[in-house]
Amino acid sequence: MKNRLGEHGTVRLDFGRELPRTDLALAAVEAAASQLSEGVWNHAMRSYFFARAALETRGGQLAPEYDELCFAACLLHDLYLEHPVPGRCFAVAGAEAAMRIALDAGVLSERADELSRAIGLHMNLDIGNLLRHDPVGFVGEGAFVDVYGGLYFEYDAGWVDDLLSRYPRREKTGHKRAFKDIVSEAMVKQAATTPGSRLHWLVTNGHVINWVNDAPYTE
């Protein structure tokens, strides 16, 4: 997969560094592994690497506690994407679950609130404005790059190819679904069960499925 928007992006990240292994990080891995399909798990991991690469390009290597927050939030942000809670925005339901997971892992309430807020805000599509005013916008940014291709041109194309080989957009087991199909189907189901939600509006009025299909990825 080559960068259709140009070959001049420079944002990248060394894959050699160890992933966070704190109590919160391990709790997030356990919760995500029990809830996410293969395709959404890979999306969560790609979102983390997209977000972390952008954060480190802007401000240098992340402090361990901030990397922990970024990792846990990205893993947990779509806990309910494929499991609609009738009448509840999946981002809000996920934010509440993440708060419980963090507190159970012994995280201070202020940090747990940051984690919850990062997930609750990730459906905000005004990523640039959000990041200028609230650092927890990293989940939205990472997911935005992976789902819609927004800000994609900023990333090194070879690095993106490497990321996609590590966490493929097509499942390797089961029905071997492409990620564009996975997320489009999930969005439509979510919209049907949550009238009045942000996602309901995006599906019915915002042409969000077209944005997914037009993302600069093959699947």
Side-chain angles (χ1 to χ4, degrees), residues 2 46 59 61 65 75 87 89-90 96 104 113 117 129 137 145 149 167 195 203-204 209 214 218:
K2 293 300 182 183
R46 292 192 303 269
Q61 187 169 342
E65 63 272 15
L75 273 187
C89 170
F90 80 97
E96 293 171 349
D104 288 346
D113 182 67
R117 195 155 48 90
N129 186 59
V145 178
Y167 301 100
V203 168
T204 57
I209 304 303
D214 289 341
T218 58

Side-chain angles (χ1 to χ4, degrees), residues 145-188:
V145 178
D146 195 55
V147 175
Y148 308 114
L151 308 176
Y152 177 81
F153 65 92
E154 296 183 2
Y155 292 81
D156 177 85
W159 182 83
V160 174
D161 287 341
D162 192 0
L163 177 61
L164 298 189
S165 71
R166 294 167 184 267
Y167 301 100
R169 290 179 65 87
R170 181 174 291 276
E171 295 176 327
K172 293 184 176 181
T173 59
H175 296 294
K176 299 183 179 181
R177 303 170 299 168
F179 181 63
K180 287 185 178 183
D181 296 333
I182 294 170
V183 72
S184 295
E185 179 182 334
M187 285 180 171
V188 170

Side-chain angles (χ1 to χ4, degrees), residues 35-144:
Q35 190 91 335
L36 305 183
S37 68
E38 177 189 350
V40 177
W41 168 274
N42 284 348
H43 159 63
M45 291 300 297
R46 292 192 303 269
S47 297
Y48 164 69
F49 280 106
F50 278 131
R52 180 173 159 186
L55 287 167
E56 294 201 5
T57 297
R58 295 188 191 106
Q61 187 169 342
L62 294 184
E65 63 272 15
Y66 203 71
D67 190 20
E68 171 198 49
L69 187 67
C70 182
F71 180 71
C74 287
L75 273 187
L76 298 174
H77 80 278
D78 278 341
L79 274 185
Y80 293 97
L81 177 64
E82 296 181 289
H83 309 284
V85 179
R88 301 292 311 285
C89 170
F90 80 97
V92 174
E96 293 171 349
M99 172 76 83
R100 294 192 296 270
I101 290 167
L103 293 175
D104 288 346
V107 174
L108 294 175
S109 59
E110 293 83 358
R111 296 286 288 170
D113 182 67
E114 278 191 288
L115 173 69
S116 178
R117 195 155 48 90
I119 293 170
L121 287 172
H122 89 268
M123 284 296 293
N124 188 327
L125 295 181
D126 188 8
I127 297 301
N129 186 59
L130 178 58
L131 285 170
R132 284 193 296 273
H133 293 91
D134 195 330
V136 300
F138 55 73
V139 183
E141 178 169 15
F144 192 60

